[in-house]
Amino acid sequence: MKGRDFLWCLANDLLDREERLERLCPACRTRALEERCPVCGGDRETWGDNPSFDRARFEALRGGEGHD
């Protein structure tokens, strides 16, 4: 495929997505545009922080203030 073929496919994919969204009611359209987990469908804002992330260790390794 040539570059223009990829561009054509991308443009048509974007148009197809817009058409699918236009068929939805406003509430469903808003929900479809939200960022969600691909596995469970959980809302992005409910994901929270990574429980195994160690802020103190991160700051120490990066050389942040307050750590020797």
Side-chain angles (χ1 to χ4, degrees):
M1 287 179 64
K2 296 182 180 181
R4 65 176 181 245
D5 297 325
F6 286 108
L7 181 60
W8 178 260
C9 288
L10 177 62
N12 280 294
D13 186 56
L14 291 172
L15 291 172
D16 290 344
R17 184 171 192 266
E18 284 182 19
E19 287 176 2
R20 287 190 303 270
L21 288 173
E22 287 175 359
R23 291 188 312 208
L24 300 174
C25 71
C28 290
R29 186 177 308 127
T30 301
R31 184 167 160 89
L33 292 172
E34 292 174 352
E35 186 177 1
R36 299 200 163 269
C37 173
V39 177
C40 71
D43 186 14
R44 172 73 167 126
E45 295 188 12
T46 63
W47 293 356
D49 293 329
N50 182 349
S52 64
F53 180 71
D54 184 352
R55 169 80 49 197
R57 183 167 186 260
F58 172 78
E59 292 295 336
L61 289 173
R62 126 181 139 132
E65 296 179 17
H67 296 282
D68 296 331

